[in-house]
Amino acid sequence: MWVVCGALLIACLQTVPLMDSVSARPIPSQEKDQRTPEQQKIDSQLLYALYQMRGEAEAKGVPTEPIPLEKDAKGRVLVDIRAPVTKKVLARIEKLGGNVVSSSERYQSIIAYLQLGKIESLARSKEVKFIAPKAQSMTN
């Protein structure tokens, strides 16, 4: 009996599609499978916003609803870049038109405003491990 229940549970879990946290709809695994090495370093919300900006969202089967991202007056997105805090990485961010807000060597985190269209270029840097929207605090 337990073997049957276990097998049934495994079968059910294998058929559950991945869900998008933004729109709560299934994400085609094919979109994730087709990501370039630099896109694999970028949070899905940022990628979806990038696809929307380029007019590729519908063709890729990702959410077309606006994605809430914090932006500055120049339209740059506030991101958390996980990378060693070095002069080279900071200079790369500034060269791409970014504005470093803060950094933590201890946590290898750089908070910066960066144009959405420049995020893939930054992700190509071997030092960069991951780029995500800056986490926002919430009060309860």
Side-chain angles (χ1 to χ4, degrees):
M1 168 115 172
W2 290 107
V3 174
V4 173
C5 290
L8 184 59
L9 178 61
I10 290 170
C12 288
L13 290 175
Q14 290 176 342
T15 60
V16 175
L18 294 173
M19 299 297 281
D20 171 39
S21 62
V22 176
S23 67
R25 70 178 187 185
I27 298 180
S29 61
Q30 152 180 14
E31 184 273 327
K32 284 195 172 202
D33 293 341
Q34 294 175 354
R35 289 182 183 174
T36 64
E38 59 267 10
Q39 289 173 336
Q40 292 174 13
K41 295 181 180 182
I42 302 171
D43 180 83
S44 294
Q45 289 185 42
L46 292 173
L47 277 178
Y48 298 162
L50 184 60
Y51 296 156
Q52 289 175 3
M53 182 185 82
R54 293 179 181 163
E56 301 171 352
E58 194 170 317
K60 289 186 178 281
V62 299
T64 55
E65 299 84 19
I67 296 173
L69 297 170
E70 186 174 337
K71 296 181 180 180
D72 68 1
K74 295 181 179 180
R76 299 176 296 189
V77 178
L78 187 61
V79 293
D80 185 350
I81 303 156
R82 296 302 170 135
V85 181
T86 63
K87 289 180 182 179
K88 180 180 176 183
V89 174
L90 296 173
R92 178 83 173 128
I93 293 167
E94 290 181 11
K95 184 177 179 183
L96 291 170
N99 178 37
V100 175
V101 175
S102 67
S103 62
S104 169
E105 289 182 28
R106 179 179 182 185
Y107 297 108
Q108 295 193 349
S109 173
I110 302 166
I111 305 299
Y113 283 102
L114 189 63
Q115 288 292 335
L116 197 55
K118 302 289 184 174
I119 290 175
E120 282 180 301
S121 295
L122 181 61
R124 284 188 194 100
S125 300
K126 66 179 179 178
E127 298 86 4
V128 173
K129 305 297 178 225
F130 196 69
I131 305 172
K134 181 187 173 291
Q136 300 298 317
S137 61
M138 295 173 57
T139 56
N140 198 354

